[in-house]
């Protein structure tokens, strides 16, 4: 299965143009795991833009192992998404977790993100195939490459080929990292599907101290970009505290990334 | 988290009584992976009943890695489900794959089955928590016990504590079996949640020649029952050919199971 | 590769006869992980014999992840091995960890045990192939069935076909058990190699509370016997405290095992 | 456990100086999996030196899953090792597989390599701790970081702290690669032990087409060097054909590596 050879375009919120993923430009999508307050999300988003980030991430529906923990702002988060993406003119990636949310989320976001837990939720994938906004499809915890490619086919089967893949680590046996980031998959899936592949070093390791080196490694391996958790104050984040980097660390990351990318004749 | 101490009751289709899961009685749920024709499903169901099987399994929505392969009969399967469960007065377990199907499937089935691929589909679990039919919750491919128990909590959070767990094998590194059947999980999850736990030796191994010995092992380990794929002619099944046993093998299975269960003061 | 069709014989210390492994008789090899004192080893060995155990296990060279922890009695343990096996006329299984120990251990033991850590130590396997005492070959932490069968071939290549395999759990991702006991491997390896296969529920789970149910499961799946850790006072064991069962629990185990085995027309 | 803070020195064969591993210089160790003929080994070694490689790898004792396959030249390879390392004045890394070989291999080689299969062979590690040549300690197939660090402690316990670690991929569930190369381990083990860590992208992926991108990723992640399989004609190699790169590909690799390393203020 080779799906396409071209790039995926993400329109800017004001429709003044678009960002191309899968070209020589390396995409940096950054933001909190889940949006907690308007103020925090605005502060980090401004900083992300200032440091050269191209798009924002931020969930309003957050998948948690334990139903008693913070589940995201839900629909209360929609106006925050709308305001900030328009104010900063940065596309927003947001997780979608139910077929019934696709239509209502549509006007507030730019890219539908399918998390690892929903990669096998084929009804959701088919629903996302019926609309035309790009879909970021994360690899499930222990998805084989065949299963991951099959999931992309479910989106494609509805007629939407604006698919971006994202390697986010697979389940491993060592407890020092949350997951094992499998960079070989990036190379193999790009070649196999023709789709751009991003890397999420935050979930991929679960440790903020590994985000910088693994981001550089992802760039060197040939990934098309990063999905990285950035929070104005990680110690106060309502989810995934251990893996978010702070604003200063994000600044260092983009600087170092640019050095490695230049060596490979790419750039941010 | 200890959820409940009692058994889960599954009402018979004619409401003349119910089956208790989690008591000394060992539950055998059998049938094809997915229903292909009315004739095949009726033939195997009659045999299953004659051999002492307590309930039927049969998907109308079938999750496949590849969207181009047989996806189940879909809504065309509803009347078949209805006819056969009423004719034989055997409860039917059927997979549900979308929040939007819960209401429409409700009158046709007795137990909602959540497959491994949807264990992390929390919106579906919450929807199933809002109704009262029992839910069979399979373990995801590489779910930790914490994640599996968390998924059960999502159903419970809606108010439905009629939950039956099902170990169906976890992802492994050896290619001779489709999965690694983890019988320790049965014991640990029974103790931790108080819920009954079934074992699926068909998906758990992916090989019909391992179904008998692993079923006996599951019974000896203390499982509350089996979910087993039986097909009148496995070589013609539209999915999971390699793992379905035929009618004769099912007869041998129930006989041997009874021997092992008697030794443990249980019975079919 | 099908290596042999017959059983493996283990001679009794006084040469008055032998035990056959791989026949209808189910072998129970029990004892401490490592021998700590003569008194403890003697006490548990007497009890093991009284309850119907057929052979003793007890390491004098103990493999530990951390070199600063108790490494076994080493050569000081040889006279203890010798005395107790002769006093009780029970064969002793002992781990061998270096090619240079094979010759010197030979007179003190009955079966050379190769632990999971040494399954790939091909020089050791070749050395054990050059003598004729039976070899118990454990599966390595993440050995595929091909690798495990290949290791057995290394012993066989030296001319010794007195090989007994032992499934002892494979590395998994869940932290509630030390390993994942893979009972399918027992069935597949028996069929593939013709060799008898034992199960080690102690290392296979790492939890004394899972030893009984997983032992019954192993028997029901068709294993040829057990290798189980028993200690007179597990809380004082110098290694593997959490997984050893005490003498009373061993008594219950053999009783329940006999019930399940009878149902399968086997016996202790 | 933090073992040391300094670098590991590898003496040149003619004792005119040494190579430092773990400094700003990135070490490239290259050569065939196992030495097949003197001519092939000489040809690739000359090329490796010409392209800036710092040391040679080449096994004379080769660990194979199947005892009937090529096991290396054994002692017949010693004179080849000796001749070529002296002719080219390049240090040689060679695998040692038995405690009884340590002394006899000593004069012919510069670094003792312990393969993944022998990481838990503690008697071998202790023996290597008793001499002073550097030891390259590969991570076992599914070794946890604790187990890997523990293995290094076994070498250290004998008094030898000239230890270099090597990540070579861990056992995974996807069949498109031979192993999953875990670059996070490189960062964590460097920090934890203070020892230099190399990466083996050849075994780490099992595919020659992934060697270049994963080598660049390893350099970007902060590895101290590479152990890479290079063969004059990979299609004729007697082991590991699929993962060896040819001489031309090695030339491209060193050039690209230099570009990435310069961006990080390091060099070959």
């Amino acid at each position: 299965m080779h799906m396409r050879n071209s790039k995926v375009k993400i329109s800017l919120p004001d429709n003044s143009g678009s960002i191309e993923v899968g070209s020589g430009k390396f995409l940096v999508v950054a933001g909190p795991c889940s949006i907690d307050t308007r103020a925090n999300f605005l502060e980090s988003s401004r900083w992300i833009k200032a440091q050269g980030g191209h798009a924002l991430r931020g969930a309003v529906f957050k998948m948690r192992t334990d139903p008693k923990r913070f589940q995201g702002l839900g629909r209360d988060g929609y106006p925050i998404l709308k305001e900030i993406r328009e104010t900063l003119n940065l596309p927003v990636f947001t997780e979608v977790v139910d077929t019934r949310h696709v239509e209502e989320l549509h006007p507030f976001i730019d890219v539908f993100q399918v998390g690892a837990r929903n990669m096998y939720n084929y009804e959701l994938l088919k629903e996302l195939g019926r609309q035309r906004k790009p879909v970021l499809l994360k690899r499930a915890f222990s998805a084989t490459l065949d299963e991951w490619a099959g999931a992309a086919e479910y989106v494609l089967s509805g007629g939407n080929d604006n698919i971006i893949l994202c390697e986010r680590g697979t389940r491993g046996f060592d407890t020092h990292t949350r997951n094992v980031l499998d960079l070989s998959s990036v190379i193999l899936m790009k070649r196999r599907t023709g789709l751009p592949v991003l890397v999420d070093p935050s979930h991929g390791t679960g440790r903020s101290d590994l985000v910088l080196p693994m981001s550089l490694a992802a760039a060197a391996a040939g990934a098309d970009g990063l999905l990285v958790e950035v929070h104005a104050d990680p110690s106060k984040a309502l989810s995934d505290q251990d893996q978010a980097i702070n604003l200063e660390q994000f600044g260092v990351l983009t600087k170092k990334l640019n050095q490695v990318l230049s060596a490979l004749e790419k750039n941010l």
Side-chain angles (χ1 to χ4, degrees), chain A residues 31-36 57-65 69-73 95 178 202-203 229-231 233-245:
Chain A
C33 178
S34 49
I35 299 175
D36 43 15
R57 56 158 292 158
V60 293
F61 296 103
K62 175 65 197 154
M63 307 287 275
R64 301 300 291 271
T65 298
R69 304 186 94 182
F70 178 64
Q71 303 277 315
L73 296 178
E95 190 159 356
R178 187 168 167 182
S202 310
H203 286 89
E229 286 191 18
V230 177
H231 194 281
D233 183 353
S235 69
K236 293 192 182 136
L238 295 179
S239 57
D240 289 345
Q241 290 189 0
D242 296 338
Q243 69 196 36
I245 56 173

mmCIF file of all heavy atoms in Angstrom, chain A residues 31-36 57-65 69-73 95 178 202-203 229-231 233-245:
data_model
loop_
_atom_site.group_PDB
_atom_site.id
_atom_site.type_symbol
_atom_site.label_atom_id
_atom_site.label_comp_id
_atom_site.label_asym_id
_atom_site.label_seq_id
_atom_site.Cartn_x
_atom_site.Cartn_y
_atom_site.Cartn_z
ATOM 1 N N GLY A 31 2.585 22.365 22.463
ATOM 2 C CA GLY A 31 1.535 22.839 23.350
ATOM 3 C C GLY A 31 1.325 21.859 24.488
ATOM 4 O O GLY A 31 2.025 20.853 24.573
ATOM 5 N N PRO A 32 0.360 22.156 25.348
ATOM 6 C CA PRO A 32 0.133 21.296 26.509
ATOM 7 C C PRO A 32 -0.535 19.988 26.095
ATOM 8 O O PRO A 32 -1.141 19.901 25.028
ATOM 9 C CB PRO A 32 -0.827 22.120 27.361
ATOM 10 C CG PRO A 32 -1.576 22.957 26.383
ATOM 11 C CD PRO A 32 -0.591 23.277 25.297
ATOM 12 N N CYS A 33 -0.416 18.983 26.959
ATOM 13 C CA CYS A 33 -1.119 17.721 26.740
ATOM 14 C C CYS A 33 -2.603 18.046 26.627
ATOM 15 O O CYS A 33 -3.219 17.826 25.602
ATOM 16 C CB CYS A 33 -0.829 16.793 27.913
ATOM 17 S SG CYS A 33 -1.695 15.236 27.779
ATOM 18 N N SER A 34 -3.160 18.607 27.680
ATOM 19 C CA SER A 34 -4.556 19.059 27.625
ATOM 20 C C SER A 34 -4.596 20.519 28.049
ATOM 21 O O SER A 34 -3.784 20.968 28.854
ATOM 22 C CB SER A 34 -5.437 18.210 28.539
ATOM 23 O OG SER A 34 -4.851 18.094 29.813
ATOM 24 N N ILE A 35 -5.513 21.253 27.488
ATOM 25 C CA ILE A 35 -5.672 22.664 27.830
ATOM 26 C C ILE A 35 -6.276 22.750 29.222
ATOM 27 O O ILE A 35 -7.306 22.134 29.491
ATOM 28 C CB ILE A 35 -6.592 23.355 26.796
ATOM 29 C CG1 ILE A 35 -5.951 23.247 25.402
ATOM 30 C CG2 ILE A 35 -6.856 24.795 27.184
ATOM 31 C CD1 ILE A 35 -6.824 23.781 24.280
ATOM 32 N N ASP A 36 -5.608 23.472 30.126
ATOM 33 C CA ASP A 36 -6.180 23.597 31.464
ATOM 34 C C ASP A 36 -6.860 24.958 31.651
ATOM 35 O O ASP A 36 -8.030 25.026 31.972
ATOM 36 C CB ASP A 36 -5.147 23.295 32.560
ATOM 37 C CG ASP A 36 -3.780 23.913 32.303
ATOM 38 O OD1 ASP A 36 -3.676 24.809 31.427
ATOM 39 O OD2 ASP A 36 -2.811 23.526 32.969
ATOM 40 N N ARG A 57 -0.792 22.183 19.799
ATOM 41 C CA ARG A 57 -1.511 20.987 20.179
ATOM 42 C C ARG A 57 -2.185 21.288 21.513
ATOM 43 O O ARG A 57 -1.678 22.085 22.314
ATOM 44 C CB ARG A 57 -0.602 19.781 20.319
ATOM 45 C CG ARG A 57 0.550 19.947 21.298
ATOM 46 C CD ARG A 57 1.059 18.614 21.769
ATOM 47 N NE ARG A 57 0.015 18.015 22.582
ATOM 48 C CZ ARG A 57 -0.093 16.713 22.829
ATOM 49 N NH1 ARG A 57 0.786 15.888 22.354
ATOM 50 N NH2 ARG A 57 -1.082 16.241 23.562
ATOM 51 N N GLY A 58 -3.283 20.659 21.771
ATOM 52 C CA GLY A 58 -3.968 20.891 23.041
ATOM 53 C C GLY A 58 -5.288 20.153 23.011
ATOM 54 O O GLY A 58 -6.137 20.409 22.169
ATOM 55 N N ALA A 59 -5.442 19.213 23.940
ATOM 56 C CA ALA A 59 -6.655 18.404 23.952
ATOM 57 C C ALA A 59 -7.723 19.055 24.809
ATOM 58 O O ALA A 59 -7.421 19.663 25.836
ATOM 59 C CB ALA A 59 -6.346 17.015 24.487
ATOM 60 N N VAL A 60 -8.964 18.924 24.381
ATOM 61 C CA VAL A 60 -10.077 19.291 25.252
ATOM 62 C C VAL A 60 -10.775 18.019 25.746
ATOM 63 O O VAL A 60 -11.393 18.013 26.804
ATOM 64 C CB VAL A 60 -11.084 20.248 24.564
ATOM 65 C CG1 VAL A 60 -10.425 21.602 24.313
ATOM 66 C CG2 VAL A 60 -11.619 19.669 23.263
ATOM 67 N N PHE A 61 -10.635 16.939 24.995
ATOM 68 C CA PHE A 61 -11.076 15.632 25.474
ATOM 69 C C PHE A 61 -9.823 14.814 25.718
ATOM 70 O O PHE A 61 -9.094 14.495 24.778
ATOM 71 C CB PHE A 61 -11.969 14.915 24.451
ATOM 72 C CG PHE A 61 -13.253 15.631 24.198
ATOM 73 C CD1 PHE A 61 -13.422 16.384 23.033
ATOM 74 C CD2 PHE A 61 -14.275 15.587 25.129
ATOM 75 C CE1 PHE A 61 -14.604 17.061 22.805
ATOM 76 C CE2 PHE A 61 -15.463 16.266 24.903
ATOM 77 C CZ PHE A 61 -15.634 17.007 23.740
ATOM 78 N N LYS A 62 -9.549 14.490 26.957
ATOM 79 C CA LYS A 62 -8.290 13.833 27.312
ATOM 80 C C LYS A 62 -8.559 12.413 27.761
ATOM 81 O O LYS A 62 -9.363 12.178 28.658
ATOM 82 C CB LYS A 62 -7.636 14.658 28.433
ATOM 83 C CG LYS A 62 -6.370 14.069 29.030
ATOM 84 C CD LYS A 62 -5.238 14.003 28.031
ATOM 85 C CE LYS A 62 -4.142 13.047 28.501
ATOM 86 N NZ LYS A 62 -3.382 12.504 27.391
ATOM 87 N N MET A 63 -7.876 11.461 27.133
ATOM 88 C CA MET A 63 -8.033 10.055 27.474
ATOM 89 C C MET A 63 -7.200 9.751 28.711
ATOM 90 O O MET A 63 -5.979 9.904 28.680
ATOM 91 C CB MET A 63 -7.515 9.190 26.327
ATOM 92 C CG MET A 63 -8.098 9.510 24.975
ATOM 93 S SD MET A 63 -9.795 8.960 24.856
ATOM 94 C CE MET A 63 -9.543 7.237 24.381
ATOM 95 N N ARG A 64 -7.806 9.289 29.767
ATOM 96 C CA ARG A 64 -7.073 8.940 30.980
ATOM 97 C C ARG A 64 -7.399 7.511 31.393
ATOM 98 O O ARG A 64 -8.556 7.094 31.337
ATOM 99 C CB ARG A 64 -7.462 9.881 32.133
ATOM 100 C CG ARG A 64 -7.199 11.351 31.854
ATOM 101 C CD ARG A 64 -5.735 11.616 31.580
ATOM 102 N NE ARG A 64 -4.920 11.443 32.741
ATOM 103 C CZ ARG A 64 -4.661 12.412 33.622
ATOM 104 N NH1 ARG A 64 -5.156 13.618 33.451
ATOM 105 N NH2 ARG A 64 -3.893 12.174 34.664
ATOM 106 N N THR A 65 -6.391 6.790 31.854
ATOM 107 C CA THR A 65 -6.608 5.412 32.295
ATOM 108 C C THR A 65 -7.653 5.361 33.412
ATOM 109 O O THR A 65 -8.478 4.454 33.466
ATOM 110 C CB THR A 65 -5.267 4.812 32.773
ATOM 111 O OG1 THR A 65 -4.383 4.796 31.666
ATOM 112 C CG2 THR A 65 -5.434 3.404 33.314
ATOM 113 N N ARG A 69 -9.761 10.881 37.067
ATOM 114 C CA ARG A 69 -8.788 11.962 36.877
ATOM 115 C C ARG A 69 -9.283 12.950 35.810
ATOM 116 O O ARG A 69 -10.188 12.652 35.052
ATOM 117 C CB ARG A 69 -7.435 11.369 36.479
ATOM 118 C CG ARG A 69 -6.970 10.352 37.526
ATOM 119 C CD ARG A 69 -5.577 9.857 37.241
ATOM 120 N NE ARG A 69 -4.596 10.636 37.979
ATOM 121 C CZ ARG A 69 -3.285 10.442 37.896
ATOM 122 N NH1 ARG A 69 -2.817 9.522 37.066
ATOM 123 N NH2 ARG A 69 -2.448 11.169 38.595
ATOM 124 N N PHE A 70 -8.655 14.116 35.786
ATOM 125 C CA PHE A 70 -9.036 15.202 34.868
ATOM 126 C C PHE A 70 -9.207 14.698 33.430
ATOM 127 O O PHE A 70 -8.308 14.117 32.853
ATOM 128 C CB PHE A 70 -7.951 16.289 34.927
ATOM 129 C CG PHE A 70 -8.189 17.449 34.008
ATOM 130 C CD1 PHE A 70 -9.286 18.284 34.168
ATOM 131 C CD2 PHE A 70 -7.290 17.718 32.966
ATOM 132 C CE1 PHE A 70 -9.499 19.367 33.317
ATOM 133 C CE2 PHE A 70 -7.487 18.802 32.110
ATOM 134 C CZ PHE A 70 -8.595 19.625 32.290
ATOM 135 N N GLN A 71 -10.378 14.930 32.868
ATOM 136 C CA GLN A 71 -10.713 14.398 31.547
ATOM 137 C C GLN A 71 -10.678 15.462 30.444
ATOM 138 O O GLN A 71 -11.176 15.230 29.348
ATOM 139 C CB GLN A 71 -12.128 13.789 31.584
ATOM 140 C CG GLN A 71 -12.327 12.700 32.627
ATOM 141 C CD GLN A 71 -11.868 11.339 32.158
ATOM 142 O OE1 GLN A 71 -12.151 10.936 31.044
ATOM 143 N NE2 GLN A 71 -11.099 10.644 32.979
ATOM 144 N N GLY A 72 -10.141 16.629 30.759
ATOM 145 C CA GLY A 72 -10.145 17.713 29.773
ATOM 146 C C GLY A 72 -11.328 18.642 30.007
ATOM 147 O O GLY A 72 -12.267 18.296 30.733
ATOM 148 N N LEU A 73 -11.263 19.813 29.371
ATOM 149 C CA LEU A 73 -12.327 20.801 29.559
ATOM 150 C C LEU A 73 -13.589 20.424 28.794
ATOM 151 O O LEU A 73 -14.657 20.986 29.038
ATOM 152 C CB LEU A 73 -11.853 22.181 29.076
ATOM 153 C CG LEU A 73 -10.684 22.812 29.847
ATOM 154 C CD1 LEU A 73 -10.312 24.146 29.199
ATOM 155 C CD2 LEU A 73 -11.069 23.032 31.315
ATOM 156 N N GLU A 95 -7.328 16.342 19.813
ATOM 157 C CA GLU A 95 -7.744 14.940 19.815
ATOM 158 C C GLU A 95 -9.257 14.808 19.708
ATOM 159 O O GLU A 95 -10.000 15.523 20.374
ATOM 160 C CB GLU A 95 -7.253 14.273 21.110
ATOM 161 C CG GLU A 95 -7.427 12.772 21.073
ATOM 162 C CD GLU A 95 -6.531 12.041 22.067
ATOM 163 O OE1 GLU A 95 -5.699 12.689 22.742
ATOM 164 O OE2 GLU A 95 -6.667 10.809 22.164
ATOM 165 N N ARG A 178 8.467 5.605 29.725
ATOM 166 C CA ARG A 178 7.045 5.254 29.634
ATOM 167 C C ARG A 178 6.792 4.360 28.425
ATOM 168 O O ARG A 178 5.906 3.519 28.429
ATOM 169 C CB ARG A 178 6.277 6.571 29.503
ATOM 170 C CG ARG A 178 4.794 6.453 29.569
ATOM 171 C CD ARG A 178 4.162 7.828 29.728
ATOM 172 N NE ARG A 178 2.737 7.785 29.485
ATOM 173 C CZ ARG A 178 1.934 8.849 29.517
ATOM 174 N NH1 ARG A 178 2.448 10.039 29.795
ATOM 175 N NH2 ARG A 178 0.654 8.737 29.286
ATOM 176 N N SER A 202 7.566 13.280 23.635
ATOM 177 C CA SER A 202 7.045 13.465 24.993
ATOM 178 C C SER A 202 6.373 12.190 25.473
ATOM 179 O O SER A 202 6.763 11.618 26.490
ATOM 180 C CB SER A 202 6.066 14.648 25.013
ATOM 181 O OG SER A 202 6.652 15.783 24.402
ATOM 182 N N HIS A 203 5.364 11.714 24.733
ATOM 183 C CA HIS A 203 4.779 10.424 25.084
ATOM 184 C C HIS A 203 5.771 9.296 24.799
ATOM 185 O O HIS A 203 5.769 8.279 25.475
ATOM 186 C CB HIS A 203 3.488 10.162 24.285
ATOM 187 C CG HIS A 203 2.347 10.983 24.774
ATOM 188 N ND1 HIS A 203 2.086 12.239 24.291
ATOM 189 C CD2 HIS A 203 1.414 10.754 25.739
ATOM 190 C CE1 HIS A 203 1.030 12.735 24.920
ATOM 191 N NE2 HIS A 203 0.602 11.858 25.801
ATOM 192 N N GLU A 229 5.134 18.205 23.876
ATOM 193 C CA GLU A 229 4.368 18.830 24.959
ATOM 194 C C GLU A 229 5.168 19.941 25.612
ATOM 195 O O GLU A 229 6.261 19.723 26.109
ATOM 196 C CB GLU A 229 3.985 17.785 26.002
ATOM 197 C CG GLU A 229 2.885 16.884 25.501
ATOM 198 C CD GLU A 229 2.294 16.011 26.583
ATOM 199 O OE1 GLU A 229 2.476 16.299 27.778
ATOM 200 O OE2 GLU A 229 1.652 15.022 26.200
ATOM 201 N N VAL A 230 4.569 21.128 25.610
ATOM 202 C CA VAL A 230 5.194 22.305 26.206
ATOM 203 C C VAL A 230 4.168 22.920 27.140
ATOM 204 O O VAL A 230 2.991 23.043 26.789
ATOM 205 C CB VAL A 230 5.567 23.328 25.102
ATOM 206 C CG1 VAL A 230 6.141 24.596 25.712
ATOM 207 C CG2 VAL A 230 6.545 22.708 24.116
ATOM 208 N N HIS A 231 4.587 23.269 28.327
ATOM 209 C CA HIS A 231 3.654 23.859 29.293
ATOM 210 C C HIS A 231 4.372 25.009 29.994
ATOM 211 O O HIS A 231 5.552 24.912 30.300
ATOM 212 C CB HIS A 231 3.234 22.785 30.313
ATOM 213 C CG HIS A 231 2.034 23.193 31.127
ATOM 214 N ND1 HIS A 231 2.107 24.048 32.201
ATOM 215 C CD2 HIS A 231 0.726 22.861 31.002
ATOM 216 C CE1 HIS A 231 0.886 24.221 32.705
ATOM 217 N NE2 HIS A 231 0.035 23.514 31.996
ATOM 218 N N ASP A 233 4.139 25.970 32.929
ATOM 219 C CA ASP A 233 4.653 25.504 34.231
ATOM 220 C C ASP A 233 4.311 24.025 34.379
ATOM 221 O O ASP A 233 3.274 23.658 34.932
ATOM 222 C CB ASP A 233 4.004 26.326 35.361
ATOM 223 C CG ASP A 233 4.564 25.919 36.723
ATOM 224 O OD1 ASP A 233 5.326 24.931 36.798
ATOM 225 O OD2 ASP A 233 4.218 26.588 37.707
ATOM 226 N N PRO A 234 5.201 23.154 33.880
ATOM 227 C CA PRO A 234 4.892 21.720 33.854
ATOM 228 C C PRO A 234 4.477 21.161 35.214
ATOM 229 O O PRO A 234 3.636 20.265 35.281
ATOM 230 C CB PRO A 234 6.202 21.069 33.378
ATOM 231 C CG PRO A 234 6.872 22.125 32.571
ATOM 232 C CD PRO A 234 6.509 23.429 33.241
ATOM 233 N N SER A 235 5.017 21.708 36.295
ATOM 234 C CA SER A 235 4.706 21.142 37.614
ATOM 235 C C SER A 235 3.233 21.353 37.965
ATOM 236 O O SER A 235 2.710 20.718 38.859
ATOM 237 C CB SER A 235 5.590 21.757 38.685
ATOM 238 O OG SER A 235 5.217 23.118 38.874
ATOM 239 N N LYS A 236 2.566 22.270 37.261
ATOM 240 C CA LYS A 236 1.152 22.518 37.543
ATOM 241 C C LYS A 236 0.220 21.939 36.477
ATOM 242 O O LYS A 236 -0.999 22.145 36.540
ATOM 243 C CB LYS A 236 0.903 24.020 37.693
ATOM 244 C CG LYS A 236 1.580 24.588 38.945
ATOM 245 C CD LYS A 236 1.111 25.976 39.268
ATOM 246 C CE LYS A 236 1.858 26.511 40.490
ATOM 247 N NZ LYS A 236 2.306 27.893 40.331
ATOM 248 N N ALA A 237 0.766 21.247 35.497
ATOM 249 C CA ALA A 237 -0.083 20.678 34.440
ATOM 250 C C ALA A 237 -1.037 19.653 35.042
ATOM 251 O O ALA A 237 -0.689 18.947 35.989
ATOM 252 C CB ALA A 237 0.792 20.025 33.366
ATOM 253 N N LEU A 238 -2.245 19.572 34.511
ATOM 254 C CA LEU A 238 -3.238 18.641 35.047
ATOM 255 C C LEU A 238 -3.086 17.232 34.473
ATOM 256 O O LEU A 238 -3.775 16.316 34.873
ATOM 257 C CB LEU A 238 -4.656 19.168 34.778
ATOM 258 C CG LEU A 238 -4.984 20.480 35.502
ATOM 259 C CD1 LEU A 238 -6.388 20.956 35.165
ATOM 260 C CD2 LEU A 238 -4.847 20.303 37.015
ATOM 261 N N SER A 239 -2.207 17.064 33.500
ATOM 262 C CA SER A 239 -1.899 15.719 33.017
ATOM 263 C C SER A 239 -0.480 15.710 32.467
ATOM 264 O O SER A 239 0.018 16.742 32.021
ATOM 265 C CB SER A 239 -2.908 15.270 31.935
ATOM 266 O OG SER A 239 -2.936 16.179 30.862
ATOM 267 N N ASP A 240 0.160 14.535 32.537
ATOM 268 C CA ASP A 240 1.478 14.344 31.931
ATOM 269 C C ASP A 240 2.525 15.357 32.365
ATOM 270 O O ASP A 240 3.339 15.835 31.553
ATOM 271 C CB ASP A 240 1.358 14.369 30.404
ATOM 272 C CG ASP A 240 0.659 13.119 29.883
ATOM 273 O OD1 ASP A 240 0.528 12.149 30.652
ATOM 274 O OD2 ASP A 240 0.250 13.117 28.719
ATOM 275 N N GLN A 241 2.577 15.665 33.647
ATOM 276 C CA GLN A 241 3.570 16.605 34.192
ATOM 277 C C GLN A 241 5.009 16.211 33.874
ATOM 278 O O GLN A 241 5.838 17.059 33.601
ATOM 279 C CB GLN A 241 3.484 16.614 35.723
ATOM 280 C CG GLN A 241 2.246 17.233 36.283
ATOM 281 C CD GLN A 241 2.367 17.386 37.798
ATOM 282 O OE1 GLN A 241 3.384 17.013 38.378
ATOM 283 N NE2 GLN A 241 1.346 17.942 38.403
ATOM 284 N N ASP A 242 5.285 14.898 33.977
ATOM 285 C CA ASP A 242 6.681 14.468 33.907
ATOM 286 C C ASP A 242 7.299 14.621 32.529
ATOM 287 O O ASP A 242 8.508 14.586 32.373
ATOM 288 C CB ASP A 242 6.798 12.991 34.307
ATOM 289 C CG ASP A 242 6.398 12.784 35.749
ATOM 290 O OD1 ASP A 242 6.439 13.760 36.514
ATOM 291 O OD2 ASP A 242 6.034 11.651 36.097
ATOM 292 N N GLN A 243 6.448 14.740 31.522
ATOM 293 C CA GLN A 243 7.011 14.728 30.178
ATOM 294 C C GLN A 243 6.962 16.068 29.466
ATOM 295 O O GLN A 243 7.595 16.233 28.417
ATOM 296 C CB GLN A 243 6.319 13.644 29.348
ATOM 297 C CG GLN A 243 4.877 13.922 29.013
ATOM 298 C CD GLN A 243 4.169 12.661 28.545
ATOM 299 O OE1 GLN A 243 4.421 11.561 29.018
ATOM 300 N NE2 GLN A 243 3.279 12.800 27.593
ATOM 301 N N ALA A 244 6.261 17.051 30.003
ATOM 302 C CA ALA A 244 6.206 18.361 29.335
ATOM 303 C C ALA A 244 7.492 19.133 29.595
ATOM 304 O O ALA A 244 8.041 19.091 30.695
ATOM 305 C CB ALA A 244 5.001 19.148 29.834
ATOM 306 N N ILE A 245 7.972 19.825 28.569
ATOM 307 C CA ILE A 245 9.118 20.716 28.779
ATOM 308 C C ILE A 245 8.571 22.130 29.006
ATOM 309 O O ILE A 245 7.445 22.448 28.642
ATOM 310 C CB ILE A 245 10.118 20.687 27.590
ATOM 311 C CG1 ILE A 245 9.432 21.032 26.255
ATOM 312 C CG2 ILE A 245 10.792 19.328 27.504
ATOM 313 C CD1 ILE A 245 10.416 21.177 25.091
#
